[in-house]
Amino acid sequence: MSKLEALIFDVDGTLADTERDGHRVAFNQAFKEAGLDWDWTVELYGELLQVTGGKERIRLYVEKFLENFQLDEDVTEFAARLHKRKTYFYLELLQSGAIPLRSGVERLINEAREAGLRLAISTTTTPANVTYLLSATLGKESIDWFEVIAAGDIVPAKKPAPDIYDWALEQMNLKPEACLAFEDSLNGVKSSLAANLKTLITVNGYTKDDDFSGAALVLDQYGEPDESFTVLDGDAGSYDYVTVDMLKELHANT
Ligand code: XBP
Ligand code: MG
């Protein structure tokens, strides 16, 4: 049985609840700036989250949700150009401090560092979105706390494919058995499980009804000493908020 050596975090929905009030808002700002009358409502965006990757999500919308939308250029180029502006608006949102970390995330990351656990990120989002979120919430130096920030187009296939986790493991020269993954969605857990990583889930508004079969534990949040989590599936033993000791037991016993 391998010892727990590293924690690999997803970003959107896991470190912070970024989708509804962050990415979705930035997409709509980019559509408005481009003169498009598109409005990704909270509900529609929930449907569009079936695909990971902002560029891929724009393409899904054009090809599957719009009736005869006339495009006089290649849809991939169109999506990439629109997505560039969306990222600009999203980075502005992050810099404004509009997106806080989820409950327990800062405490758990600090505890993991004190315990000498290695940290990494595996996400579908654009790399700048990660460094700006970390800088805005934990300070610029926090970027270096993560040995690897595996993000976006760095791999050919995005989640639910395992590529982004496999790439991070390779960069860290670690076997999946020595790690735990932290996710929030069906696409995310499919990706981490396909990379043979034991996975801890924290759900959010968009993912609470997803099928997390195969996850080691499903919670509503990591919690704090004065704010207990709710176990939605799995066994958290005697713990009521996520600590490094709990993670070590979860890693050993699942
Ligand atoms: C979530 C995603 C990303 C974001 C939008 O990634 O699928 O596409 O929704 O970010 P994860 P971009 O849960 O793996 O962090 O527009 O930069 O793709
Ligand atoms: Mg996610």
Side-chain angles (χ1 to χ4, degrees), residues 36-233:
L36 296 163
D37 65 350
W38 302 354
D39 175 24
W40 284 5
T41 61
V42 172
E43 189 186 358
L44 170 59
Y45 193 67
E47 288 182 63
L48 296 172
L49 278 172
Q50 65 186 271
V51 70
T52 63
K55 296 188 286 293
E56 295 78 357
R57 197 163 298 139
I58 292 170
R59 217 182 142 142
L60 170 77
Y61 180 65
V62 168
E63 293 174 344
K64 299 272 187 321
F65 286 73
L66 285 182
E67 301 291 323
N68 51 37
F69 175 67
Q70 291 310 314
L71 200 55
D72 53 9
E73 67 175 300
D74 171 67
V75 66
T76 306
E77 282 162 27
F78 168 78
R81 201 174 68 249
L82 202 48
H83 186 255
K84 226 178 169 74
R85 293 304 295 162
K86 172 265 173 181
T87 300
Y88 170 83
F89 290 117
Y90 182 65
L91 295 180
E92 268 195 338
L93 264 176
L94 290 175
Q95 280 183 308
S96 75
I99 311 278
L101 294 179
R102 290 192 64 180
S103 155
V105 168
E106 179 168 0
R107 173 185 54 76
L108 186 60
I109 287 174
N110 286 330
E111 277 182 27
R113 294 181 64 230
E114 279 152 32
L117 290 176
R118 297 166 67 183
L119 300 177
I121 279 173
S122 282
T123 174
T124 307
T125 201
T126 299
N129 295 350
V130 184
T131 52
Y132 274 62
L133 174 70
L134 292 175
S135 300
T137 54
L138 296 171
K140 220 168 169 46
E141 67 286 350
S142 67
I143 296 170
D144 296 333
W145 299 349
F146 299 85
E147 277 179 51
V148 172
I149 296 181
D153 299 329
I154 200 145
V155 289
K158 291 185 168 141
K159 298 176 185 175
D163 301 37
I164 198 75
Y165 279 106
D166 291 341
W167 190 85
L169 288 166
E170 189 192 332
Q171 295 297 311
M172 295 175 80
N173 191 24
L174 278 171
K175 292 198 177 328
E177 299 76 34
C179 307
L180 273 179
F182 297 76
E183 274 286 352
D184 73 295
S185 68
L186 176 61
N187 281 324
V189 75
K190 280 182 176 175
S191 175
S192 59
L193 292 179
N196 297 312
L197 285 157
K198 291 180 181 175
T199 305
L200 193 158
I201 298 289
T202 41
V203 302
N204 54 66
Y206 278 128
T207 68
K208 62 186 179 0
D209 299 325
D210 284 5
D211 175 3
F212 293 110
S213 309
L217 186 62
V218 183
L219 305 172
D220 67 327
Q221 58 173 322
Y222 297 145
E224 297 289 3
D226 60 353
E227 187 189 357
S228 304
F229 56 47
T230 300
V231 177
L232 303 173
D233 194 10

Side-chain angles (χ1 to χ4, degrees), residues 10-14 19 159 183-185 188:
D10 162 55
V11 175
D12 295 301
T14 298
E19 296 290 0
K159 298 176 185 175
E183 274 286 352
D184 73 295
S185 68

